[in-house]
Amino acid sequence: MKRKNKNKLIEISAFVLIIMVFIQIITTSIYLYNKNSNLNSMKKVNNFSKIISEFLHRSQQERGTGAGYLGRYSKEFKILYLKKIKLTNKAINKFLNASHYCSKVPIQKVKLYLNKLKTIRKEVINNKINLEKEIDFYSKMNENLLDSMGKILLIANNDKLIRGFSSYRNFEMAKERTGRERAVLSGIFSQNSWSKQLYILYVNLLAEQKILFKESMELTNKKIKNKFYNLQNSKVFQKVKKIEQIALNKQQNFGINSLYFYNTITIKINMLNKVGLSMSKLNNEIIDKLQHSLWIQFLYQLLIDILLVIFLFYTLFLFHKEQKFLFSKSTKDKLTDLYNRGFLIEVFPTIKARIDRNRTKLTLFFMDLDGFKAINDTYGHEAGDIVLIEVSNRLKELFRKSDIIVRLGGDEFVIMAENINNDNIKTVASKIIKEISKPISIKNNILVEVGVSIGIAIYPNNANNIKELIKKADEAMYFSKRSGKGIFTFYN
């Protein structure tokens, strides 16, 4: 008989082990699939950010040539402007087509500007818009593009990717400031004098470029940093820097050909654009490495899980019932099967974190039975136990499964309930008083009655920890006792 039982136990153990291994494989596979899907989504979004960057690049060129044309209405700038419009249109079409496959990245505001773009272009060609307004329109459209690009950061859930996307976006923001600089100076050199508004804008643009490039480089890798800092010493960058100093130190008669400046700074921006493309490529490389490591992790974890299940199974199976009993004994009240004070203190930090995260509230009802001592004294402790069990059952029926009902000791009970507004709190408290006050049948069908006095405290309004919250609710309960019993009182 003993052998039969032992064999049966082995069979059950083998069966359960197979199920556990199977479940673990499925769970790990689902985990891998979800992680891999997320990374594929990130790659798609990163490629979309590259298309946004291309759109920005073309829009910046269009803005710069338009600004140069508005400064002096030269044929050269007009021809360039019309040429850049065609290139921008191609980038726009590519952008709109790609947006259908990247619905997580919002582009609604960008579309509003695209609807107005045709009108602005006509106004530039027909000289019906001033330089400031032209620069402002394109700049706002580009800022909305950068905002859409910034939403990618909300999707990323990996530190390396967040750093990579942050660096890339900051770099594009800095490059956009450089593009605005091109537009401002192309227009200013064409008209050969500063306006106060544009001078202030220009000074701010230089400062913003410096800050954003610095922030971008702090987040990227050494290879890209070196590539960027090497550009600082290039002839083109030095030429642009000299021209910038002339623009800063003079108010008019700069002696600089606007088309020459436009072409020079465009070379600089094109060089910066290559660095930006390297950043996009780096982000895809990060994603590829994460996907590769995911597969390695999956295979390694799968092997470990199988070995661990085999190694621990007998221990888990043989001690399961004992562990369950010990857990129940440490967290449950023996008489009523309600939770005890220890469980309440242990679980509160978790509940508190959830409430803080969701910005909701927690209501704590502190209850003390009225007339319970008289029943104990008259009918004995056995009758008192029956009353406590019946009160516990009634509380279980009144409250949701998610609410926590605790017997603190004696005839004191605590209930923690989440997300109840003040009106509902009063309704619940009234129901408790009504239900508890109904007669209870004890031995020999004798009916007895108890009342209940309730104190109510609310987290986070009244206290920041469980001990203080219980104390405040206890004080409110004693106020109910002193005020005639059978009522509820909010802590104030």
Side-chain angles (χ1 to χ4, degrees), residues 209-334:
Q209 281 181 58
K210 188 175 180 180
I211 293 168
L212 289 167
F213 276 131
K214 183 181 177 183
E215 289 176 350
S216 175
M217 290 304 110
E218 286 174 354
L219 294 170
T220 193
N221 67 7
K222 188 175 180 180
K223 184 178 179 181
I224 290 177
K225 282 180 186 177
N226 291 337
K227 187 178 287 189
F228 174 75
Y229 290 126
N230 287 337
L231 292 180
Q232 307 295 308
N233 300 318
S234 67
K235 290 182 180 179
V236 172
F237 274 63
Q238 293 303 317
K239 283 180 183 178
V240 172
K241 195 170 184 180
K242 286 180 182 178
I243 294 171
E244 287 172 347
Q245 289 303 314
I246 293 170
L248 284 169
N249 295 331
K250 284 189 174 185
Q251 292 298 312
Q252 57 186 359
N253 300 324
F254 304 101
I256 295 172
N257 181 279
S258 59
L259 189 59
Y260 167 77
F261 169 74
Y262 174 86
N263 290 330
T264 303
I265 196 170
T266 295
I267 296 171
K268 173 184 174 178
I269 293 173
N270 288 341
M271 293 165 74
L272 290 172
N273 196 51
K274 289 181 180 179
V275 177
L277 293 174
S278 297
M279 288 181 165
S280 177
K281 184 179 178 182
L282 174 64
N283 290 337
N284 274 339
E285 288 174 358
I286 292 171
I287 294 169
D288 288 338
K289 286 180 181 178
L290 287 171
Q291 287 180 314
H292 177 72
S293 65
L294 197 63
W295 279 105
I296 299 298
Q297 179 189 346
F298 166 68
L299 294 173
Y300 176 77
Q301 191 64 47
L302 186 61
L303 178 62
I304 293 297
D305 286 341
I306 292 171
L307 292 174
L308 190 61
V309 167
I310 293 170
F311 179 74
L312 295 176
F313 179 78
Y314 283 108
T315 304
L316 291 173
F317 184 80
L318 292 174
F319 289 99
H320 173 70
K321 288 184 179 180
E322 185 179 357
Q323 290 170 342
K324 187 176 181 181
F325 170 75
L326 291 173
F327 176 77
S328 177
K329 188 177 180 181
S330 65
T331 60
K332 292 288 185 78
D333 174 60
K334 186 177 180 180

Side-chain angles (χ1 to χ4, degrees), residues 35-47 101-102 104 155 287 291:
K35 278 278 190 180
N36 194 57
S37 294
N38 181 263
L39 288 171
N40 282 333
S41 177
M42 290 309 304
K43 184 176 283 189
K44 192 181 291 183
V45 169
N46 183 55
N47 291 335
Y101 304 100
C102 286
K104 291 182 179 180
I155 305 170
I287 294 169
Q291 287 180 314

Side-chain angles (χ1 to χ4, degrees), residues 269-454:
I269 293 173
N270 288 341
M271 293 165 74
L272 290 172
N273 196 51
K274 289 181 180 179
V275 177
L277 293 174
S278 297
M279 288 181 165
S280 177
K281 184 179 178 182
L282 174 64
N283 290 337
N284 274 339
E285 288 174 358
I286 292 171
I287 294 169
D288 288 338
K289 286 180 181 178
L290 287 171
Q291 287 180 314
H292 177 72
S293 65
L294 197 63
W295 279 105
I296 299 298
Q297 179 189 346
F298 166 68
L299 294 173
Y300 176 77
Q301 191 64 47
L302 186 61
L303 178 62
I304 293 297
D305 286 341
I306 292 171
L307 292 174
L308 190 61
V309 167
I310 293 170
F311 179 74
L312 295 176
F313 179 78
Y314 283 108
T315 304
L316 291 173
F317 184 80
L318 292 174
F319 289 99
H320 173 70
K321 288 184 179 180
E322 185 179 357
Q323 290 170 342
K324 187 176 181 181
F325 170 75
L326 291 173
F327 176 77
S328 177
K329 188 177 180 181
S330 65
T331 60
K332 292 288 185 78
D333 174 60
K334 186 177 180 180
L335 176 65
T336 62
D337 200 39
L338 296 178
Y339 290 113
N340 59 23
R341 181 190 289 269
F343 178 79
L344 183 65
I345 292 170
E346 183 180 339
V347 79
F348 182 75
T350 303
I351 296 172
K352 178 179 181 291
R354 182 170 64 244
I355 289 168
D356 292 343
R357 184 172 62 250
N358 297 334
R359 297 183 180 178
T360 54
K361 293 184 179 181
L362 173 74
T363 305
L364 188 140
F365 300 87
F366 191 107
M367 294 172 288
D368 186 88
L369 300 181
D370 301 325
F372 178 74
K373 186 176 182 299
I375 294 172
N376 255 350
D377 293 343
T378 305
Y379 300 104
H381 289 289
E382 185 180 341
D385 288 347
I386 293 172
V387 171
L388 291 173
I389 291 168
E390 179 59 24
V391 168
S392 302
N393 290 336
R394 291 179 184 183
L395 290 175
K396 289 176 185 176
E397 290 178 3
L398 280 171
F399 285 88
R400 304 166 296 189
K401 288 184 179 180
S402 58
D403 300 327
I404 296 175
I405 308 172
V406 175
R407 183 188 174 204
L408 287 183
D411 60 345
E412 291 181 336
F413 297 85
V414 162
I415 297 168
M416 289 199 308
E418 295 182 47
N419 202 19
I420 307 178
N421 61 42
N422 281 347
D423 290 336
N424 286 342
I425 291 172
K426 294 175 184 178
T427 303
V428 170
S430 298
K431 282 184 179 179
I432 294 170
I433 294 168
K434 182 180 177 182
E435 288 298 316
I436 300 301
S437 299
K438 290 178 180 179
I440 298 172
S441 177
I442 58 173
K443 56 186 178 181
N444 299 325
N445 293 324
I446 296 172
L447 294 177
V448 295
E449 292 183 5
V450 292
V452 62
S453 296
I454 303 174

Side-chain angles (χ1 to χ4, degrees), residues 428-491:
V428 170
S430 298
K431 282 184 179 179
I432 294 170
I433 294 168
K434 182 180 177 182
E435 288 298 316
I436 300 301
S437 299
K438 290 178 180 179
I440 298 172
S441 177
I442 58 173
K443 56 186 178 181
N444 299 325
N445 293 324
I446 296 172
L447 294 177
V448 295
E449 292 183 5
V450 292
V452 62
S453 296
I454 303 174
I456 301 169
I458 296 172
Y459 171 83
N461 300 29
N462 302 136
N464 196 40
N465 60 71
I466 187 60
K467 291 183 179 179
E468 192 66 22
L469 197 64
I470 292 172
K471 182 181 176 184
K472 297 293 175 63
D474 189 18
E475 291 175 14
M477 183 276 295
Y478 273 108
F479 184 85
S480 295
K481 289 271 190 189
R482 293 193 298 270
S483 301
K485 301 180 181 180
I487 62 172
F488 61 87
T489 304
F490 283 87
Y491 178 81

Side-chain angles (χ1 to χ4, degrees), residues 95-294:
F95 166 78
L96 292 174
N97 289 332
S99 68
H100 296 304
Y101 304 100
C102 286
S103 56
K104 291 182 179 180
V105 181
I107 63 164
Q108 291 84 351
K109 290 183 179 180
V110 178
K111 284 184 175 180
L112 293 176
Y113 280 90
L114 289 178
N115 292 336
K116 298 176 185 177
L117 183 58
K118 192 173 181 180
T119 303
I120 294 296
R121 287 167 169 173
K122 284 183 179 179
E123 289 178 351
V124 172
I125 293 168
N126 296 323
N127 306 323
K128 291 184 177 180
I129 186 172
N130 63 34
L131 181 61
E132 287 86 350
K133 286 184 178 179
E134 189 263 1
I135 292 172
D136 183 64
F137 172 82
Y138 282 100
S139 299
K140 285 180 177 177
M141 181 174 72
N142 291 350
E143 282 302 316
N144 278 287
L145 275 168
L146 288 166
D147 285 343
S148 294
M149 197 173 179
K151 295 298 187 293
I152 294 168
L153 291 172
L154 302 177
I155 305 170
N157 57 3
N158 175 277
D159 289 342
K160 287 184 178 180
L161 280 177
I162 291 171
R163 285 176 65 89
F165 283 127
S166 296
S167 176
Y168 187 25
R169 180 171 181 262
N170 284 340
F171 191 85
E172 288 298 322
M173 289 172 71
K175 193 156 69 70
E176 161 60 12
R177 270 61 179 179
T178 310
R180 284 191 214 173
E181 177 192 350
R182 171 172 58 189
V184 170
L185 288 189
S186 293
I188 291 303
F189 290 152
S190 288
Q191 63 189 26
N192 217 16
S193 65
W194 276 113
S195 69
K196 185 178 179 180
Q197 182 181 354
L198 284 179
Y199 185 80
I200 293 170
L201 172 63
Y202 177 63
V203 172
N204 288 334
L205 286 174
L206 291 179
E208 289 171 8
Q209 281 181 58
K210 188 175 180 180
I211 293 168
L212 289 167
F213 276 131
K214 183 181 177 183
E215 289 176 350
S216 175
M217 290 304 110
E218 286 174 354
L219 294 170
T220 193
N221 67 7
K222 188 175 180 180
K223 184 178 179 181
I224 290 177
K225 282 180 186 177
N226 291 337
K227 187 178 287 189
F228 174 75
Y229 290 126
N230 287 337
L231 292 180
Q232 307 295 308
N233 300 318
S234 67
K235 290 182 180 179
V236 172
F237 274 63
Q238 293 303 317
K239 283 180 183 178
V240 172
K241 195 170 184 180
K242 286 180 182 178
I243 294 171
E244 287 172 347
Q245 289 303 314
I246 293 170
L248 284 169
N249 295 331
K250 284 189 174 185
Q251 292 298 312
Q252 57 186 359
N253 300 324
F254 304 101
I256 295 172
N257 181 279
S258 59
L259 189 59
Y260 167 77
F261 169 74
Y262 174 86
N263 290 330
T264 303
I265 196 170
T266 295
I267 296 171
K268 173 184 174 178
I269 293 173
N270 288 341
M271 293 165 74
L272 290 172
N273 196 51
K274 289 181 180 179
V275 177
L277 293 174
S278 297
M279 288 181 165
S280 177
K281 184 179 178 182
L282 174 64
N283 290 337
N284 274 339
E285 288 174 358
I286 292 171
I287 294 169
D288 288 338
K289 286 180 181 178
L290 287 171
Q291 287 180 314
H292 177 72
S293 65
L294 197 63

